[in-house]
Amino acid sequence: MAKPTDEPSQSCPIDPAAREAWLEKARQAGQASCASASAPQTPIPIPQRDRVKKTRPLASEREISTIPRADPTVSTTTPNPSSPKVANNEQETGSDAKSGNWIYPSERMFFDAMKRKNYDPVATDMTTIVPIHNAVNEKAWKEIKDWENRFAWSRDENKNCGGPRLHSFSGDSKKLSPRARWNSFLGYQEPFDRHDWVVERCPGQGTVEYVIDFYAGKDDGKGKGLSFYLDVRPKLNSWEGWKMRTWNLIGL
């Protein structure tokens, strides 16, 4: 896979505040437990990397994701015009020129973004947070594609559109989704982060919004370190979201 170097016009979803939350979870490996009954997905083991020397410079190489980026020049309609517009948290948005996919930030970009937001990042932590960020976003996109394949891509109007694309994204670790809030009332653990992703099916023909809650699991004792659980589902802010969630509930 190609690894481009830093360019300020290309990135992939995660905001600096969430990065700090993710780093904190990584530091707590083996101490956190996942108590969410509503997020039974297979845990994501996080890639482990050897601890690098503190003198090693932050890497500027970047991984190209498997997530296709919607064409930003094509206007789309939102499923719920009255809902707040979801916008990319980062300024450095864009796509790989060859594949058209989103590009993940480098260690240097993560570090610099947190410094700009007045956080106090540690350079050596970047070797942990970058593979965590990449692996979890890949899992989130896989879950979204599973929803789309089951409920959207069998329709005639979508068959020739080439598959779903990520249009825009937003992250807010302090804003609980309705499901997460309800589960917290019942005594379950709160997610440590929340993302909202806007997915385009066909260029210029509207979007569907997804909400993603991130839960931290504990070390399984097999040396794989911290794992994450994702609860990915369409948002109930549109008729399409309601249909997909209902069909999923009754097993269609």
Side-chain angles (χ1 to χ4, degrees):
M1 178 179 291
K3 294 184 178 182
T5 55
D6 288 352
E7 294 180 16
S9 62
Q10 300 171 329
S11 189
C12 203
I14 190 173
D15 65 286
R19 288 172 183 150
E20 181 65 23
W22 290 40
L23 273 172
E24 181 60 27
K25 291 301 177 183
R27 296 185 186 112
Q28 296 173 359
Q31 300 178 16
S33 62
C34 179
S36 173
S38 64
Q41 291 90 342
T42 303
I44 311 162
I46 300 305
Q48 300 297 300
R49 294 186 177 177
D50 295 334
R51 189 73 172 178
V52 297
K53 295 181 179 179
K54 291 185 178 181
T55 55
R56 178 176 79 69
L58 288 169
S60 60
E61 291 183 334
R62 305 172 63 190
E63 295 282 350
I64 300 172
S65 78
T66 66
I67 306 173
R69 189 189 194 281
D71 186 348
T73 64
V74 177
S75 62
T76 58
T77 57
T78 59
N80 184 2
S82 63
S83 65
K85 182 180 180 181
V86 180
N88 300 341
N89 285 97
E90 301 287 351
Q91 295 297 317
E92 60 268 16
T93 57
S95 60
D96 173 55
K98 183 176 180 180
S99 67
N101 293 352
W102 291 87
I103 304 179
Y104 292 123
S106 66
E107 294 176 8
R108 168 58 64 184
M109 292 175 71
F110 267 103
F111 185 85
D112 289 345
M114 294 182 72
K115 291 285 284 186
R116 288 197 303 268
K117 296 293 183 178
N118 296 318
Y119 289 96
D120 187 23
V122 178
T124 51
D125 284 339
M126 299 302 105
T127 62
T128 300
I129 190 61
V130 169
I132 288 176
H133 165 268
N134 296 359
V136 173
N137 275 287
E138 291 293 325
K139 176 62 175 176
W141 185 244
K142 181 180 182 299
E143 296 285 341
I144 287 175
K145 287 200 301 181
D146 287 345
W147 277 97
E148 291 291 300
N149 288 336
R150 290 166 59 200
F151 301 117
W153 291 96
S154 60
R155 304 179 193 172
D156 290 339
E157 64 267 27
N158 295 327
K159 287 182 178 179
N160 298 321
C161 292
R165 300 170 180 83
L166 179 59
H167 179 272
S168 55
F169 57 86
S170 177
D172 191 342
S173 59
K174 296 180 175 61
K175 183 178 180 181
L176 290 179
S177 66
R179 176 184 286 181
R181 184 179 298 107
W182 173 253
N183 284 338
S184 70
F185 291 153
L186 298 179
Y188 293 111
Q189 177 186 338
E190 293 183 0
F192 72 89
D193 197 12
R194 173 225 172 120
H195 283 185
D196 296 83
W197 289 16
V198 178
V199 174
E200 177 189 84
R201 290 174 176 169
C202 291
Q205 297 184 20
T207 59
V208 60
E209 295 183 33
Y210 282 82
V211 60
I212 308 168
D213 287 323
F214 297 84
Y215 297 87
K218 61 181 179 179
D219 193 329
D220 61 4
K222 298 179 181 179
K224 294 183 179 180
L226 189 69
S227 59
F228 292 88
Y229 296 80
L230 273 59
D231 187 6
V232 182
R233 68 274 185 197
K235 293 175 71 173
L236 297 177
N237 65 341
S238 67
W239 172 237
E240 182 68 14
W242 277 98
K243 284 194 301 182
M244 294 171 71
R245 294 274 286 272
T246 300
W247 291 341
N248 181 66
L249 182 65
I250 63 179
L252 292 179

